[in-house]
Amino acid sequence: MKTRKACKGEKVLKLRATMIEEVQQPSRTFHVLEDSTLDSLAETIVSGFGFDFDHAFGFYDNVDNWLDSGEGYELFADIGEESEFPGVEKAKVNDVFNQPGKQMFFVFDYGDHWPFLVELVGTEDAKEGETYSKLVESVGDAPLQYGDEEFDDEDEFDDEDFDKDEEDFKIDEDDDDEGKW
């Protein structure tokens, strides 16, 4: 997560991110410096829920149907992929979340589809010399990003699990079920 110390006269935005498709709807509230980018905000949100920051993402203004958004910001635009919206690396948080109550739908990992509702709760003066972005409130338990935490590398198959002779995989060419398994 990108952080820096606040300078005199800076503002922080108080943003709440809620996982909206989870039964418990866990949420995290953050203080983010006003000139932070959406890329930095995304990393802050994802880290706050204990996820790895390793997938594409975007912010969209239509919280009911993000695919029908008029305003959006996508990582795709920054990495040279096709995108109908501008990127997240230069978009400033205070330009996007420009009034209290403003909400954006944040999608992290388009494959697994982790949806969040991000809302500007308020703004306040930053404390000079204090480090931001930071988590200021955590409500509820976040789900695991990749499923079962019990699984580790030691649970993977050993080479002996795959130590089979070619005979084990030979196809009987005289079989009437040719091409079927």
Side-chain angles (χ1 to χ4, degrees):
M1 182 168 60
K2 298 172 188 155
T3 61
R4 73 170 179 82
K5 293 185 185 237
C7 297
K8 184 177 181 178
E10 283 190 285
K11 298 274 187 200
V12 293
L13 279 66
K14 185 175 184 179
L15 294 152
R16 181 178 304 116
T18 304
M19 294 188 84
I20 56 177
E21 289 185 4
E22 294 298 312
V23 174
Q24 300 289 328
Q25 293 197 338
S27 67
R28 305 291 183 264
T29 304
F30 305 95
H31 279 175
V32 178
L33 288 169
E34 62 187 334
D35 68 343
S36 298
T37 64
L38 288 182
D39 182 57
S40 178
L41 175 61
E43 184 177 3
T44 298
I45 292 168
V46 169
S47 296
F49 283 89
F51 287 8
D52 295 329
F53 191 56
D54 57 354
H55 293 282
F57 58 89
F59 290 85
Y60 306 93
D61 70 340
N62 189 333
V63 297
D64 295 319
N65 182 4
W66 67 276
L67 294 170
D68 193 28
S69 290
E71 176 189 7
Y73 306 87
E74 296 177 329
L75 179 64
F76 294 128
D78 295 313
I79 60 174
E81 297 290 325
E82 186 176 326
S83 176
E84 68 179 277
F85 297 113
V88 294
E89 291 180 353
K90 293 182 181 170
K92 300 291 184 189
V93 173
N94 62 339
D95 290 336
V96 176
F97 292 93
N98 52 14
Q99 58 186 340
K102 169 87 182 259
Q103 297 180 335
M104 295 289 280
F105 187 83
F106 170 57
V107 178
F108 175 71
D109 185 353
Y110 294 94
D112 284 339
H113 185 79
W114 291 103
F116 300 83
L117 180 65
V118 182
E119 178 179 4
L120 176 60
V121 178
T123 60
E124 56 189 64
D125 292 330
K127 294 179 181 151
E128 185 178 354
E130 194 157 321
T131 302
Y132 297 94
S133 297
K134 64 181 180 179
L135 176 68
V136 294
E137 182 181 28
S138 178
V139 176
D141 295 325
L144 297 173
Q145 182 178 7
Y146 294 116
D148 189 3
E149 193 174 68
E150 301 279 325
F151 183 83
D152 61 26
D153 290 341
E154 293 179 20
D155 293 332
E156 291 186 32
F157 295 106
D158 294 328
D159 287 340
E160 65 192 43
D161 292 332
F162 295 101
D163 189 22
K164 303 291 182 189
D165 294 332
E166 283 186 33
E167 284 295 314
D168 293 338
F169 298 100
K170 192 170 188 172
I171 297 174
D172 184 359
E173 294 180 13
D174 296 329
D175 193 350
D176 290 324
D177 292 334
E178 187 175 318
K180 296 182 182 176
W181 291 99

